[in-house]
Amino acid sequence: MDIKPSRGKRTVIASEYLKLDTDVITGGGTDETEAVQAILDKALEWGGLTLVMDGAATVRGIRLHSNTTIRCCDNSCGFYLADGALRSLVTNADWDFRDIKNENITLQGGTYNFNREHQAQYPEPEPGSDERVWNDDPEHPLNYDYFVKRWCFGMRFFGVKNLIIRDACLLNQRVYTALFINWEHVTVQNVDIPLPDLQYAQNQDGLHFFGPGHDLVIRDLRGVAGDDLIALTPDEWDGVSSISDVLIDGVLLNNSDQGIRMLTHNEGRLDRVTVRNVYGTYKSCGFFMNPYFAKAKGNFGHILIENVDLRQTYHKYAQYCEPFLFRIGGEYDSLTLRNIRHVDPTDNRPLVDVSHVFSHPDYVANQHVHLKNLTIDRLQVFNRNGVKDKMNYISIDGAVDNLVIRNVQADREGNESNDSVVCLKPQADVKRMVISGVVTNGIGELVENAGGKADSIEIKD
């Protein structure tokens, strides 16, 4: 096939070379993998490429070189992953876990259908291979090398800089919607992850970021995930990588199983992270922020989360973890939670749970928790029509040097219960607690001591 620019020096209109007889939602049509890849490979010859998708194509996976843009005319255009492809729909061309090999890649508009129903979660190892999906180590059972290279993620970007995904629908992931490793300057904006084909406990995460990584902006993300909608887990797979300089602004959860996860467990660090304007509905875990793995300390720098209004629907994974809005563990320099609203809850899950229990209470207790500075500013609980059970809004079961709680408003008029604003559980070890600006109606104690300790408690008007 002799491919020439449709206009300018390096823009190709897809319909001039492809049949585009695929329905981007239901599939079917001609497998056009080779033709699409031949067009994309022109980026090497021309120094860059813009492919305009004016229809939809079925492919077994495509690879993007540096200086490549795919622009879809609308959401009826895009790509459908062929049945049984058992690979990512989109990846960068030159994977590398330590060096940046590809840059300036943009996906704009359209639908990328990962066809969950007709993909395997992970390809089985070849007969006689010594590859294993699961290891014997109970603390780290997953073979991460096999995991990142073989599992059926919707998109993979390993070793990229200046990556933009904008105005797109990422549909029906088999495992993660996208996995990012070794990246710089990544922007995700106005992206929908609807997942109508949600399965039980299949790791159908949304956007998952391993390190090393620097400069991530996510704006106006909507979606549902069978696990975390967004995960920042810098050293989860290699034990050493870090992530820094992250802005997440505008996340709508549509009854997602979980919301946002932050995880470090070894030498890696997560630092300079701002999350704001998170709203919608979720089932079990709102913000999962701890080392998760047994015997891990965690290494969190400075994190700010503000403007959160999430409503829980029901607790889906009772055998996995108790429900919560925030669960916090590990080592932190500072964590600030600001403008948190909780309205007519359906159960009595804690809102801020500082806990040595990283996942399920029966897994491993006595995990490391040390927050040097924790500030909770403007917490509102309005529960006149919700659960009648007692609630602990802020539960402390670990070490906190400086705990500042201010501007709390709690209203349970007509639905009174013995709630506590702060509950000090047996492993609570607070050096200094300052509480100010608390207004309550129909609750019990301001500070409940359930076996923990606080060296100094200052309560101000």
PDB file of all heavy atoms in Angstrom, residues 40-66:
ATOM      1  N   LEU A  40       0.669   4.306  10.578  1.00  0.00           N
ATOM      2  CA  LEU A  40       1.330   4.843  11.765  1.00  0.00           C
ATOM      3  C   LEU A  40       2.848   4.804  11.645  1.00  0.00           C
ATOM      4  O   LEU A  40       3.547   5.682  12.169  1.00  0.00           O
ATOM      5  CB  LEU A  40       0.874   4.074  13.012  1.00  0.00           C
ATOM      6  CG  LEU A  40      -0.604   4.223  13.380  1.00  0.00           C
ATOM      7  CD1 LEU A  40      -0.960   3.271  14.510  1.00  0.00           C
ATOM      8  CD2 LEU A  40      -0.925   5.663  13.771  1.00  0.00           C
ATOM      9  N   ASP A  41       3.368   3.817  10.956  1.00  0.00           N
ATOM     10  CA  ASP A  41       4.820   3.703  10.793  1.00  0.00           C
ATOM     11  C   ASP A  41       5.391   4.819   9.919  1.00  0.00           C
ATOM     12  O   ASP A  41       6.613   5.050   9.920  1.00  0.00           O
ATOM     13  CB  ASP A  41       5.178   2.340  10.200  1.00  0.00           C
ATOM     14  CG  ASP A  41       4.990   1.201  11.192  1.00  0.00           C
ATOM     15  OD1 ASP A  41       4.851   1.476  12.403  1.00  0.00           O
ATOM     16  OD2 ASP A  41       4.965   0.025  10.751  1.00  0.00           O
ATOM     17  N   LYS A  42       4.539   5.516   9.203  1.00  0.00           N
ATOM     18  CA  LYS A  42       5.016   6.640   8.397  1.00  0.00           C
ATOM     19  C   LYS A  42       5.573   7.776   9.267  1.00  0.00           C
ATOM     20  O   LYS A  42       6.308   8.638   8.775  1.00  0.00           O
ATOM     21  CB  LYS A  42       3.885   7.175   7.500  1.00  0.00           C
ATOM     22  CG  LYS A  42       3.579   6.281   6.302  1.00  0.00           C
ATOM     23  CD  LYS A  42       4.761   6.233   5.344  1.00  0.00           C
ATOM     24  CE  LYS A  42       4.491   5.367   4.131  1.00  0.00           C
ATOM     25  NZ  LYS A  42       5.641   5.335   3.190  1.00  0.00           N
ATOM     26  N   ALA A  43       5.238   7.764  10.535  1.00  0.00           N
ATOM     27  CA  ALA A  43       5.803   8.780  11.436  1.00  0.00           C
ATOM     28  C   ALA A  43       7.316   8.703  11.469  1.00  0.00           C
ATOM     29  O   ALA A  43       7.998   9.726  11.637  1.00  0.00           O
ATOM     30  CB  ALA A  43       5.236   8.592  12.844  1.00  0.00           C
ATOM     31  N   LEU A  44       7.875   7.503  11.301  1.00  0.00           N
ATOM     32  CA  LEU A  44       9.325   7.348  11.279  1.00  0.00           C
ATOM     33  C   LEU A  44       9.926   7.980  10.029  1.00  0.00           C
ATOM     34  O   LEU A  44      10.985   8.602  10.076  1.00  0.00           O
ATOM     35  CB  LEU A  44       9.684   5.869  11.343  1.00  0.00           C
ATOM     36  CG  LEU A  44       9.273   5.124  12.627  1.00  0.00           C
ATOM     37  CD1 LEU A  44       9.553   3.630  12.465  1.00  0.00           C
ATOM     38  CD2 LEU A  44      10.004   5.688  13.829  1.00  0.00           C
ATOM     39  N   GLU A  45       9.257   7.832   8.920  1.00  0.00           N
ATOM     40  CA  GLU A  45       9.759   8.353   7.648  1.00  0.00           C
ATOM     41  C   GLU A  45       9.524   9.851   7.510  1.00  0.00           C
ATOM     42  O   GLU A  45      10.404  10.584   7.020  1.00  0.00           O
ATOM     43  CB  GLU A  45       9.066   7.618   6.501  1.00  0.00           C
ATOM     44  CG  GLU A  45       9.454   8.090   5.113  1.00  0.00           C
ATOM     45  CD  GLU A  45       8.688   7.378   4.010  1.00  0.00           C
ATOM     46  OE1 GLU A  45       8.156   6.268   4.265  1.00  0.00           O
ATOM     47  OE2 GLU A  45       8.614   7.939   2.891  1.00  0.00           O
ATOM     48  N   TRP A  46       8.360  10.314   7.963  1.00  0.00           N
ATOM     49  CA  TRP A  46       7.983  11.713   7.757  1.00  0.00           C
ATOM     50  C   TRP A  46       8.391  12.620   8.919  1.00  0.00           C
ATOM     51  O   TRP A  46       8.241  13.838   8.839  1.00  0.00           O
ATOM     52  CB  TRP A  46       6.474  11.836   7.554  1.00  0.00           C
ATOM     53  CG  TRP A  46       5.938  11.089   6.356  1.00  0.00           C
ATOM     54  CD1 TRP A  46       6.653  10.592   5.306  1.00  0.00           C
ATOM     55  CD2 TRP A  46       4.571  10.763   6.098  1.00  0.00           C
ATOM     56  NE1 TRP A  46       5.827   9.981   4.396  1.00  0.00           N
ATOM     57  CE2 TRP A  46       4.521  10.073   4.854  1.00  0.00           C
ATOM     58  CE3 TRP A  46       3.364  10.982   6.759  1.00  0.00           C
ATOM     59  CZ2 TRP A  46       3.337   9.604   4.297  1.00  0.00           C
ATOM     60  CZ3 TRP A  46       2.182  10.525   6.206  1.00  0.00           C
ATOM     61  CH2 TRP A  46       2.169   9.840   4.980  1.00  0.00           C
ATOM     62  N   GLY A  47       8.873  12.056  10.006  1.00  0.00           N
ATOM     63  CA  GLY A  47       9.205  12.840  11.186  1.00  0.00           C
ATOM     64  C   GLY A  47       8.018  13.118  12.074  1.00  0.00           C
ATOM     65  O   GLY A  47       8.134  13.828  13.085  1.00  0.00           O
ATOM     66  N   GLY A  48       6.870  12.562  11.759  1.00  0.00           N
ATOM     67  CA  GLY A  48       5.652  12.740  12.552  1.00  0.00           C
ATOM     68  C   GLY A  48       4.449  12.385  11.711  1.00  0.00           C
ATOM     69  O   GLY A  48       4.553  12.214  10.478  1.00  0.00           O
ATOM     70  N   LEU A  49       3.285  12.263  12.354  1.00  0.00           N
ATOM     71  CA  LEU A  49       2.081  11.835  11.646  1.00  0.00           C
ATOM     72  C   LEU A  49       0.847  12.279  12.410  1.00  0.00           C
ATOM     73  O   LEU A  49       0.808  12.208  13.641  1.00  0.00           O
ATOM     74  CB  LEU A  49       2.063  10.301  11.512  1.00  0.00           C
ATOM     75  CG  LEU A  49       0.759   9.689  10.977  1.00  0.00           C
ATOM     76  CD1 LEU A  49       0.697   9.831   9.471  1.00  0.00           C
ATOM     77  CD2 LEU A  49       0.626   8.226  11.384  1.00  0.00           C
ATOM     78  N   THR A  50      -0.173  12.718  11.670  1.00  0.00           N
ATOM     79  CA  THR A  50      -1.518  12.888  12.219  1.00  0.00           C
ATOM     80  C   THR A  50      -2.452  11.986  11.432  1.00  0.00           C
ATOM     81  O   THR A  50      -2.571  12.122  10.202  1.00  0.00           O
ATOM     82  CB  THR A  50      -1.993  14.345  12.126  1.00  0.00           C
ATOM     83  OG1 THR A  50      -1.157  15.168  12.932  1.00  0.00           O
ATOM     84  CG2 THR A  50      -3.431  14.475  12.599  1.00  0.00           C
ATOM     85  N   LEU A  51      -3.093  11.052  12.119  1.00  0.00           N
ATOM     86  CA  LEU A  51      -4.067  10.166  11.507  1.00  0.00           C
ATOM     87  C   LEU A  51      -5.452  10.630  11.925  1.00  0.00           C
ATOM     88  O   LEU A  51      -5.772  10.662  13.117  1.00  0.00           O
ATOM     89  CB  LEU A  51      -3.839   8.719  11.952  1.00  0.00           C
ATOM     90  CG  LEU A  51      -4.907   7.697  11.531  1.00  0.00           C
ATOM     91  CD1 LEU A  51      -5.030   7.621  10.010  1.00  0.00           C
ATOM     92  CD2 LEU A  51      -4.617   6.327  12.135  1.00  0.00           C
ATOM     93  N   VAL A  52      -6.269  11.012  10.952  1.00  0.00           N
ATOM     94  CA  VAL A  52      -7.636  11.445  11.218  1.00  0.00           C
ATOM     95  C   VAL A  52      -8.566  10.262  11.011  1.00  0.00           C
ATOM     96  O   VAL A  52      -8.726   9.769   9.892  1.00  0.00           O
ATOM     97  CB  VAL A  52      -8.037  12.616  10.302  1.00  0.00           C
ATOM     98  CG1 VAL A  52      -9.482  13.032  10.576  1.00  0.00           C
ATOM     99  CG2 VAL A  52      -7.094  13.801  10.508  1.00  0.00           C
ATOM    100  N   MET A  53      -9.170   9.782  12.101  1.00  0.00           N
ATOM    101  CA  MET A  53     -10.098   8.660  12.029  1.00  0.00           C
ATOM    102  C   MET A  53     -11.503   9.196  11.797  1.00  0.00           C
ATOM    103  O   MET A  53     -12.129   9.770  12.675  1.00  0.00           O
ATOM    104  CB  MET A  53     -10.044   7.846  13.327  1.00  0.00           C
ATOM    105  CG  MET A  53      -8.750   7.094  13.550  1.00  0.00           C
ATOM    106  SD  MET A  53      -8.443   5.809  12.301  1.00  0.00           S
ATOM    107  CE  MET A  53      -9.852   4.722  12.557  1.00  0.00           C
ATOM    108  N   ASP A  54     -11.997   9.014  10.558  1.00  0.00           N
ATOM    109  CA  ASP A  54     -13.350   9.437  10.206  1.00  0.00           C
ATOM    110  C   ASP A  54     -14.286   8.232  10.160  1.00  0.00           C
ATOM    111  O   ASP A  54     -15.290   8.236   9.435  1.00  0.00           O
ATOM    112  CB  ASP A  54     -13.364  10.212   8.896  1.00  0.00           C
ATOM    113  CG  ASP A  54     -12.671   9.485   7.753  1.00  0.00           C
ATOM    114  OD1 ASP A  54     -11.917   8.525   8.011  1.00  0.00           O
ATOM    115  OD2 ASP A  54     -12.882   9.872   6.582  1.00  0.00           O
ATOM    116  N   GLY A  55     -13.973   7.237  10.956  1.00  0.00           N
ATOM    117  CA  GLY A  55     -14.766   6.021  11.091  1.00  0.00           C
ATOM    118  C   GLY A  55     -14.102   5.146  12.143  1.00  0.00           C
ATOM    119  O   GLY A  55     -13.215   5.606  12.874  1.00  0.00           O
ATOM    120  N   ALA A  56     -14.503   3.884  12.211  1.00  0.00           N
ATOM    121  CA  ALA A  56     -13.965   2.974  13.224  1.00  0.00           C
ATOM    122  C   ALA A  56     -13.323   1.773  12.566  1.00  0.00           C
ATOM    123  O   ALA A  56     -13.788   1.273  11.532  1.00  0.00           O
ATOM    124  CB  ALA A  56     -15.072   2.523  14.171  1.00  0.00           C
ATOM    125  N   ALA A  57     -12.237   1.283  13.182  1.00  0.00           N
ATOM    126  CA  ALA A  57     -11.499   0.148  12.645  1.00  0.00           C
ATOM    127  C   ALA A  57     -11.306  -0.901  13.734  1.00  0.00           C
ATOM    128  O   ALA A  57     -11.069  -0.573  14.901  1.00  0.00           O
ATOM    129  CB  ALA A  57     -10.139   0.598  12.117  1.00  0.00           C
ATOM    130  N   THR A  58     -11.385  -2.169  13.339  1.00  0.00           N
ATOM    131  CA  THR A  58     -11.035  -3.282  14.210  1.00  0.00           C
ATOM    132  C   THR A  58      -9.548  -3.577  14.040  1.00  0.00           C
ATOM    133  O   THR A  58      -9.056  -3.700  12.907  1.00  0.00           O
ATOM    134  CB  THR A  58     -11.856  -4.531  13.862  1.00  0.00           C
ATOM    135  OG1 THR A  58     -13.235  -4.282  14.156  1.00  0.00           O
ATOM    136  CG2 THR A  58     -11.391  -5.742  14.660  1.00  0.00           C
ATOM    137  N   VAL A  59      -8.840  -3.684  15.171  1.00  0.00           N
ATOM    138  CA  VAL A  59      -7.401  -3.962  15.114  1.00  0.00           C
ATOM    139  C   VAL A  59      -7.040  -4.944  16.225  1.00  0.00           C
ATOM    140  O   VAL A  59      -7.762  -5.104  17.202  1.00  0.00           O
ATOM    141  CB  VAL A  59      -6.560  -2.679  15.258  1.00  0.00           C
ATOM    142  CG1 VAL A  59      -6.771  -1.743  14.070  1.00  0.00           C
ATOM    143  CG2 VAL A  59      -6.866  -1.964  16.565  1.00  0.00           C
ATOM    144  N   ARG A  60      -5.883  -5.567  16.080  1.00  0.00           N
ATOM    145  CA  ARG A  60      -5.353  -6.470  17.111  1.00  0.00           C
ATOM    146  C   ARG A  60      -4.349  -5.755  18.002  1.00  0.00           C
ATOM    147  O   ARG A  60      -3.653  -6.400  18.790  1.00  0.00           O
ATOM    148  CB  ARG A  60      -4.684  -7.676  16.458  1.00  0.00           C
ATOM    149  CG  ARG A  60      -5.636  -8.553  15.648  1.00  0.00           C
ATOM    150  CD  ARG A  60      -4.954  -9.820  15.171  1.00  0.00           C
ATOM    151  NE  ARG A  60      -3.703  -9.556  14.473  1.00  0.00           N
ATOM    152  CZ  ARG A  60      -3.600  -9.236  13.197  1.00  0.00           C
ATOM    153  NH1 ARG A  60      -4.710  -9.091  12.459  1.00  0.00           N
ATOM    154  NH2 ARG A  60      -2.423  -9.018  12.639  1.00  0.00           N
ATOM    155  N   GLY A  61      -4.264  -4.435  17.888  1.00  0.00           N
ATOM    156  CA  GLY A  61      -3.321  -3.654  18.653  1.00  0.00           C
ATOM    157  C   GLY A  61      -2.472  -2.805  17.738  1.00  0.00           C
ATOM    158  O   GLY A  61      -2.069  -3.245  16.650  1.00  0.00           O
ATOM    159  N   ILE A  62      -2.199  -1.562  18.147  1.00  0.00           N
ATOM    160  CA  ILE A  62      -1.400  -0.653  17.328  1.00  0.00           C
ATOM    161  C   ILE A  62      -0.313  -0.025  18.192  1.00  0.00           C
ATOM    162  O   ILE A  62      -0.464   0.134  19.399  1.00  0.00           O
ATOM    163  CB  ILE A  62      -2.268   0.447  16.679  1.00  0.00           C
ATOM    164  CG1 ILE A  62      -3.073   1.223  17.739  1.00  0.00           C
ATOM    165  CG2 ILE A  62      -3.204  -0.165  15.650  1.00  0.00           C
ATOM    166  CD1 ILE A  62      -3.886   2.377  17.187  1.00  0.00           C
ATOM    167  N   ARG A  63       0.807   0.340  17.544  1.00  0.00           N
ATOM    168  CA  ARG A  63       1.967   0.925  18.213  1.00  0.00           C
ATOM    169  C   ARG A  63       2.183   2.338  17.677  1.00  0.00           C
ATOM    170  O   ARG A  63       2.192   2.563  16.463  1.00  0.00           O
ATOM    171  CB  ARG A  63       3.219   0.079  17.957  1.00  0.00           C
ATOM    172  CG  ARG A  63       3.075  -1.362  18.375  1.00  0.00           C
ATOM    173  CD  ARG A  63       4.360  -2.153  18.116  1.00  0.00           C
ATOM    174  NE  ARG A  63       4.871  -1.975  16.756  1.00  0.00           N
ATOM    175  CZ  ARG A  63       4.411  -2.622  15.695  1.00  0.00           C
ATOM    176  NH1 ARG A  63       3.416  -3.482  15.822  1.00  0.00           N
ATOM    177  NH2 ARG A  63       4.946  -2.416  14.496  1.00  0.00           N
ATOM    178  N   LEU A  64       2.405   3.272  18.609  1.00  0.00           N
ATOM    179  CA  LEU A  64       2.549   4.679  18.244  1.00  0.00           C
ATOM    180  C   LEU A  64       3.986   5.129  18.429  1.00  0.00           C
ATOM    181  O   LEU A  64       4.581   4.938  19.484  1.00  0.00           O
ATOM    182  CB  LEU A  64       1.635   5.543  19.116  1.00  0.00           C
ATOM    183  CG  LEU A  64       0.159   5.138  19.177  1.00  0.00           C
ATOM    184  CD1 LEU A  64      -0.628   6.128  20.016  1.00  0.00           C
ATOM    185  CD2 LEU A  64      -0.442   5.010  17.777  1.00  0.00           C
ATOM    186  N   HIS A  65       4.544   5.738  17.374  1.00  0.00           N
ATOM    187  CA  HIS A  65       5.888   6.293  17.410  1.00  0.00           C
ATOM    188  C   HIS A  65       5.841   7.726  17.937  1.00  0.00           C
ATOM    189  O   HIS A  65       4.774   8.310  18.139  1.00  0.00           O
ATOM    190  CB  HIS A  65       6.497   6.263  16.013  1.00  0.00           C
ATOM    191  CG  HIS A  65       6.517   4.904  15.387  1.00  0.00           C
ATOM    192  ND1 HIS A  65       7.435   3.951  15.717  1.00  0.00           N
ATOM    193  CD2 HIS A  65       5.701   4.352  14.439  1.00  0.00           C
ATOM    194  CE1 HIS A  65       7.216   2.854  15.015  1.00  0.00           C
ATOM    195  NE2 HIS A  65       6.169   3.072  14.230  1.00  0.00           N
ATOM    196  N   SER A  66       7.009   8.295  18.144  1.00  0.00           N
ATOM    197  CA  SER A  66       7.084   9.696  18.549  1.00  0.00           C
ATOM    198  C   SER A  66       6.429  10.597  17.509  1.00  0.00           C
ATOM    199  O   SER A  66       6.374  10.267  16.312  1.00  0.00           O
ATOM    200  CB  SER A  66       8.540  10.115  18.735  1.00  0.00           C
ATOM    201  OG  SER A  66       9.138   9.419  19.805  1.00  0.00           O
TER     202      SER A  66
END
